[in-house]
Amino acid sequence: MSKIHDGHRDRMRFRVLQEGTEGLATHELLEMLLYGTIPRGDTNEIAHHLMDEFGSISNLIEADPYEIAKTAGVGIKSGVFLSLLHELVRRYEREKTDQKPALVSMQRSVEYCRALLAFRPKECFYAICLDSRRKIIHTSKISEGTVNDSNVSPRIVVEKALRYKATGVLLCHNHPGGSANPSYADTALTYQLKRMLEPLGVMVLDHIIIGENQYFSYFENDMLKGDKKEE
């Protein structure tokens, strides 16, 4: 019997990898969550029992863990686990709405980039994924190079933007101990990323270079308009 359930669990995991989670019914999401606390047995049936007992996911995760544990087949380990989801969701929502700064001005953008790149002895390149209100969704360090070089993979930048469902990307990197003026390689990379991202619905909002006591902005210098080509 356990082998049958193990095979079903593997098929469910493969389904998520192939199709994502949006197509799963609520009881199937709950079923898969219980894999971690119920290593053997039919968690699909237990998930149905839980939904029948509590009526909704919100009622379930807001319930006392002892009440959850009373449901047939659940137990205290799963009761505690499911009750933790309420706090996890609460913190997720708080982070999403309250704690993500919005880069709505040049000053805020530069300040954020300076904070990212402060005291970096080597050149580092970041892609900052933003939503439609220019709130930060995720900040990714794409590469870290030598004092005057950073090998950036455009493919990774595109992957990050799509993974976090960004509508805009702010690029930034530093020139440790030197001028903020862009190099030919900086400009070529900026235009390459612009051409790759914009057909996917992701705007390159700026590329800010942080120097020792100054910064350079492609947006401020009117270098992001039109379809620029590498020279």
PDB file of all heavy atoms in Angstrom, residues 61 65 68 129 173:
ATOM      1  N   ILE A  61      -6.384  27.119   8.886  1.00  0.00           N
ATOM      2  CA  ILE A  61      -5.084  27.574   9.397  1.00  0.00           C
ATOM      3  C   ILE A  61      -5.222  28.548  10.558  1.00  0.00           C
ATOM      4  O   ILE A  61      -4.256  28.802  11.274  1.00  0.00           O
ATOM      5  CB  ILE A  61      -4.210  28.179   8.269  1.00  0.00           C
ATOM      6  CG1 ILE A  61      -4.815  29.467   7.723  1.00  0.00           C
ATOM      7  CG2 ILE A  61      -3.967  27.154   7.180  1.00  0.00           C
ATOM      8  CD1 ILE A  61      -3.923  30.163   6.702  1.00  0.00           C
ATOM      9  N   PRO A  65      -4.261  24.399  17.014  1.00  0.00           N
ATOM     10  CA  PRO A  65      -3.625  23.155  16.542  1.00  0.00           C
ATOM     11  C   PRO A  65      -4.219  21.902  17.161  1.00  0.00           C
ATOM     12  O   PRO A  65      -4.262  20.841  16.515  1.00  0.00           O
ATOM     13  CB  PRO A  65      -2.157  23.335  16.930  1.00  0.00           C
ATOM     14  CG  PRO A  65      -2.106  24.474  17.883  1.00  0.00           C
ATOM     15  CD  PRO A  65      -3.267  25.338  17.558  1.00  0.00           C
ATOM     16  N   ILE A  68      -7.281  21.050  15.146  1.00  0.00           N
ATOM     17  CA  ILE A  68      -6.886  20.448  13.860  1.00  0.00           C
ATOM     18  C   ILE A  68      -6.470  19.002  14.071  1.00  0.00           C
ATOM     19  O   ILE A  68      -6.838  18.106  13.305  1.00  0.00           O
ATOM     20  CB  ILE A  68      -5.730  21.247  13.218  1.00  0.00           C
ATOM     21  CG1 ILE A  68      -6.162  22.694  12.965  1.00  0.00           C
ATOM     22  CG2 ILE A  68      -5.273  20.585  11.924  1.00  0.00           C
ATOM     23  CD1 ILE A  68      -5.018  23.595  12.498  1.00  0.00           C
ATOM     24  N   CYS A 129      14.149  43.701  -9.138  1.00  0.00           N
ATOM     25  CA  CYS A 129      12.856  43.453  -9.780  1.00  0.00           C
ATOM     26  C   CYS A 129      11.779  44.292  -9.098  1.00  0.00           C
ATOM     27  O   CYS A 129      11.646  44.265  -7.866  1.00  0.00           O
ATOM     28  CB  CYS A 129      12.502  41.972  -9.684  1.00  0.00           C
ATOM     29  SG  CYS A 129      13.658  40.881 -10.544  1.00  0.00           S
ATOM     30  N   HIS A 173      25.379  48.580 -10.741  1.00  0.00           N
ATOM     31  CA  HIS A 173      26.653  47.982 -10.370  1.00  0.00           C
ATOM     32  C   HIS A 173      27.598  49.098  -9.926  1.00  0.00           C
ATOM     33  O   HIS A 173      27.269  50.284 -10.023  1.00  0.00           O
ATOM     34  CB  HIS A 173      27.248  47.139 -11.500  1.00  0.00           C
ATOM     35  CG  HIS A 173      27.887  47.919 -12.609  1.00  0.00           C
ATOM     36  ND1 HIS A 173      27.165  48.553 -13.607  1.00  0.00           N
ATOM     37  CD2 HIS A 173      29.198  48.166 -12.879  1.00  0.00           C
ATOM     38  CE1 HIS A 173      28.004  49.138 -14.452  1.00  0.00           C
ATOM     39  NE2 HIS A 173      29.247  48.928 -14.025  1.00  0.00           N
TER      40      HIS A 173
END
